Structures are given as C-alpha cells and as structure tokens.
Amino acid sequence: MYVLPDLPYAEDALAPLMSADTLRTHHGKHHKTYVDKTNDLAPKAGLAGKPLEEVVREAHRKGDKSLFNNAAQAWNHAFFWRSMRPTGGKGPSGDLKSAIESAFGGLDDLRAAFVAEGAGHFGSGWAWLVTGSDGLKVISTHDADDTLVKDGIYPLLVCDVWEHAYYLDHKNDRKRFLERWFDNLADWDFAAEQLAAAGSRGEGFRYPPPVGDASRSKAAKDKAAKDKAGERRAGA
Ligand code: FE2
C-alpha cells in the first residue's frame, strides 16, 4: 500500500504565506484521500505493489481515469511538498541559474512566465518548471494531469493552483499567491537536484515505495509459478 509521505517541514513552517490550517487540510485531507483511493483502486487494476510512477503511467495507458486521477494526484502532491521550503532559503545557483538565464533571460523573466502560466491556467491544475531537450520551460497541466505521462520533459518544481492550495490564505487572488510562492517558498535546491537527475547526475524525486505488499507479491509470484508448471504438465 502507498503511504502518505510526511511533510518535509512543520505544518506552520510556511506561514503566513501558506498557513498551518491550509497545510493541515491540504495534506491531511486532500492528499490523504488521493492516497487512500489509490490504495483501493490499484490492487483492483492488478497494480498492487508497483511503484506509484508505474501505476500512474499504466492507468494513463489503459485509460483508467479514476485510478489515474487519484494516483497522479498522490504523486503531484508529494512532489509539491518537496517543491517548497520555509522562507529565507537562497535562490538558484550553479547549473540551474545558468539554465534559467539561457531559457528565460533571468530569474525575473522566469518569475513572470511562471506566474502568468499559473494565473492564466483555466480551472484546477498545476504550474510546472520543467526541463527537456530544448532546455527549461514553464507549462501547466489540468486537474490531475502530470509530467510522468509526457514524453521528453522532466519536472523541476511544481505549484498547486487548485483553489484548495490558496483560498484560505489568499482568497481568490491566485496571481498574488503565485508571486509570493515563487519569491518565498520555491525550493531552488530541490529544483537543482532535479535538474542534475535529468542529466543523469543523481537520483531524482520518486514517490516512497509501497509497503506491506511483499506477502501479496510473493503469493502472486508463487501462483504464477504454479500456473506455469501446470501449463507445462498439460502441454507435456
Ligand atoms: Fe492540492
């Protein structure tokens, strides 16, 4: 089964930009529900014990919308928690700074593009900084859609632009939320680690592996071996 990963900081660590109340509900209710539903649906789709990344891709390939929506939202939120850090951290440096300058001109230009993308996104979704063969770019995805099912891009940072992410703290002002998020909460060290991983230098973000499925997996393997032996005997 898939676990709800702990927040990488205290619930009140991002306040007042993102209050403890918002994080408690967003993480403890919204994210948990996606994880719980994935735990219900993945075994029914024959995907128990598979890494969540594989579940998202398989559900997408098979057109299993319910599983895809819940598994992708479980993954997106875990990536979102990692995309933030308490205020006061440093900005981009090294290869990441160079890549931002190359793609956008500078951090201010990236900020303008990121805020415009997220604020202009119609309805619920996610604003991403990604890298690909043509360098860094900003994209948005609708609802649960995520970068795991898009060829040739690799995520560096994401901001949740569903209303539940900002409404308690910023009311309907999504643009202001994105500006403050970009200026204060974006974790550039995490983005730099992701950029390095995209270039095969280091390990990129992965959802925590499922736990407690070992006995089920072993039973499934034993059954498959038994079935195969039966087929051999029948064919002999
Ligand atoms: Fe969310």
Side-chain angles (χ1 to χ4, degrees):
M1 63 179 287
Y2 303 95
V3 297
L4 175 68
D6 290 338
L7 290 171
Y9 27 71
E11 273 181 352
D12 61 356
L14 309 183
L17 301 173
M18 193 174 286
S19 65
D21 201 15
T22 288
L23 271 184
R24 196 174 302 119
T25 306
H26 199 173
H27 176 256
K29 304 284 187 192
H30 290 279
H31 192 183
K32 182 177 185 302
T33 299
Y34 295 127
V35 175
D36 289 347
K37 287 187 177 170
T38 301
N39 279 324
D40 178 44
L41 295 170
K44 292 174 183 167
L47 294 167
K50 301 288 185 191
L52 189 65
E53 289 80 4
E54 193 176 326
V55 173
V56 171
R57 291 188 176 112
E58 268 301 288
H60 186 260
R61 192 180 65 78
K62 291 177 176 173
D64 185 340
K65 278 196 169 178
S66 185
L67 177 57
F68 174 77
N69 284 340
N70 285 286
Q73 282 294 78
W75 195 93
N76 288 347
H77 280 89
F79 192 86
F80 176 52
W81 310 135
R82 290 292 309 278
S83 294
M84 298 185 287
R85 47 101 168 106
T87 59
K90 60 182 172 51
S93 60
D95 289 348
L96 177 60
K97 185 166 185 275
S98 303
I100 290 170
E101 287 168 356
S102 170
F104 300 97
L107 190 61
D108 288 346
D109 304 283
L110 166 58
R111 180 187 192 268
F114 191 87
V115 170
E117 182 74 31
H121 179 88
F122 185 80
S124 299
W126 301 84
W128 305 81
L129 174 64
V130 302
T131 187
S133 58
D134 50 352
L136 270 55
K137 57 185 170 184
V138 165
I139 65 166
S140 57
T141 58
H142 281 282
D143 299 329
D145 195 17
D146 77 11
T147 53
L148 290 172
V149 295
K150 308 213 178 298
D151 290 337
I153 60 168
Y154 196 79
L156 306 187
L157 283 179
V158 75
C159 183
D160 189 338
V161 297
W162 286 61
E163 284 185 349
H164 63 229
Y166 60 88
Y167 218 84
L168 289 179
D169 302 318
H170 304 275
K171 298 293 182 275
N172 61 328
D173 198 344
R174 185 192 287 181
K175 180 170 181 283
R176 183 73 183 125
F177 162 63
L178 281 156
E179 289 168 347
R180 299 182 88 191
W181 187 91
F182 190 96
D183 293 341
N184 299 286
L185 299 181
D187 187 340
W188 299 106
D189 288 340
F190 177 67
E193 286 170 19
Q194 286 294 105
L195 182 63
S200 301
R201 289 174 287 113
E203 187 83 2
F205 171 83
R206 293 179 70 84
Y207 198 88
V211 297
D213 291 310
S215 57
R216 196 182 307 167
S217 299
K218 185 174 181 312
K221 274 184 198 162
D222 289 349
K223 184 177 180 305
K226 209 171 165 184
D227 289 349
K228 206 165 186 180
E231 280 168 22
R232 273 202 299 271
R233 277 197 299 276

